[in-house]
Amino acid sequence: MAGSTKTARSSEGRMPLREHLLEIRKRLFLVSCGLVVGAIGGWFLYEPLLSALQAPLEAAAAAQNKVINLNYSGMATALDMKIKVSLFLGVLVTCPWWLYQLWAFITPGLTRKERRYAVGFLGASVPLFLGGVALAWWVLPHAVDILAAFVPEGATNLTDAQGYLSFVMRLVLAFGLAFVLPVVLVALNFAGLVRSTALLAGWRWAVLIAFVFAAVMTPTPDALTMIFVALPICVLYFGAVGIAILRDRSTDKRRAAALSGA
């Protein structure tokens, strides 16, 4: 019986729905285990990470001569903050692990020869995700400085600690995942799920979404910052389209050669 379950996949790497669901459950479990391990490490690095998160608030307070502090509104808020910050660091530190699980889930859709590209997908995804995180970290002080400027003179800004942490987490993870999305598109193309023609046809929507994303995630009044954020996303998208075009041409040529030979 065990041998029959292992052969549930077809020779083309396709899996039935039940196998897909079991595979998703397996990958989610492994991702959860990795996040727990990363969060344990984050627990011991809580103090320096919290200081880094508070640095933009302190810089804005010093530059604008205002009182801006984090406010812990409940008895359990400090503990809750420590858990969330630890998990946040766990997500960042274990990005190679959970990105690998993503590609491990996608690769059954590829042929045995094509699965070696999963190494390339992972090798591209990790630096791109970290590049998105770095860009978000660059945007964060500018966003805090602009938002703090709306505080009236003489007023005290007691920022809710959990609300501020949620803002930072959404900003950092959104930028990281946005930078990984082009690699996902390439992987879907390699798996035969998306053609390059479909990606190219939607380039206007992709550019629009990139600029809307940049406008929403960078709450600053200047257009230059928005352009600096949107341009790398657009470049990565068109790079993914270019790779998909080359891949489709190569696949079409092999198919045409096989048909002519038959």
Side-chain angles (χ1 to χ4, degrees):
M1 294 295 292
S4 62
T5 58
K6 290 182 181 179
T7 59
R9 298 179 188 180
S10 68
S11 60
E12 296 179 353
R14 296 197 177 112
M15 301 163 59
L17 178 61
R18 182 175 178 275
E19 289 291 319
H20 273 296
L21 295 177
L22 291 175
E23 186 74 9
I24 290 175
R25 186 179 68 176
K26 172 186 174 183
R27 298 302 167 188
L28 289 177
F29 174 75
L30 292 174
V31 168
S32 301
C33 292
L35 291 179
V36 169
V37 173
I40 292 173
W43 181 272
F44 296 101
L45 296 174
Y46 170 72
E47 293 296 335
L49 181 59
L50 183 63
S51 298
L53 292 174
Q54 292 184 105
L57 294 176
E58 296 170 354
Q64 301 179 25
N65 195 25
K66 296 176 181 177
V67 178
I68 305 175
N69 291 315
L70 289 181
N71 179 39
Y72 294 80
S73 56
M75 290 296 296
T77 303
L79 176 60
D80 194 31
M81 275 284 291
K82 188 167 186 177
I83 294 174
K84 287 183 177 179
V85 170
S86 300
L87 286 172
F88 176 55
L89 186 61
V91 171
L92 298 183
V93 171
T94 61
C95 70
W97 174 249
W98 53 262
L99 285 171
Y100 167 76
Q101 298 305 325
L102 172 63
W103 303 130
F105 174 71
I106 293 176
T107 50
L110 303 179
T111 64
R112 186 172 300 176
K113 181 180 178 181
E114 291 171 334
R115 288 177 194 173
R116 67 178 185 271
Y117 293 118
V119 178
F121 293 151
L122 181 63
S125 298
V126 173
L128 284 175
F129 178 80
L130 295 178
V133 169
L135 183 59
W137 201 256
W138 173 77
V139 169
L140 178 61
H142 296 77
V144 170
D145 191 57
I146 293 296
L147 295 175
F150 289 96
V151 177
E153 291 293 335
T156 299
N157 186 352
L158 297 178
T159 302
D160 180 68
Q162 296 206 47
Y164 176 70
L165 177 62
S166 298
F167 166 71
V168 174
M169 289 175 64
R170 286 197 303 268
L171 183 72
V172 170
L173 293 178
F175 272 86
L177 294 175
F179 272 50
V180 173
L181 183 58
V183 186
V184 176
L185 295 178
V186 172
L188 293 176
N189 174 260
F190 272 59
L193 300 176
V194 178
R195 292 279 297 179
S196 60
T197 51
L199 296 177
L200 189 59
W203 73 268
R204 294 178 180 84
W205 284 105
V207 171
L208 177 62
I209 292 172
F211 275 88
V212 170
F213 172 83
V216 172
M217 300 306 295
T218 56
T220 56
D222 61 298
L224 191 60
T225 301
M226 181 188 70
I227 293 173
F228 280 154
V229 171
L231 278 181
I233 299 175
C234 293
V235 169
L236 289 172
Y237 176 81
F238 284 109
V241 172
I243 294 174
I245 290 174
L246 294 176
R247 169 68 181 175
D248 286 347
R249 286 179 179 175
S250 176
T251 303
D252 293 341
K253 286 181 180 178
R254 287 201 303 269
R255 289 176 180 173
L259 291 174
S260 62

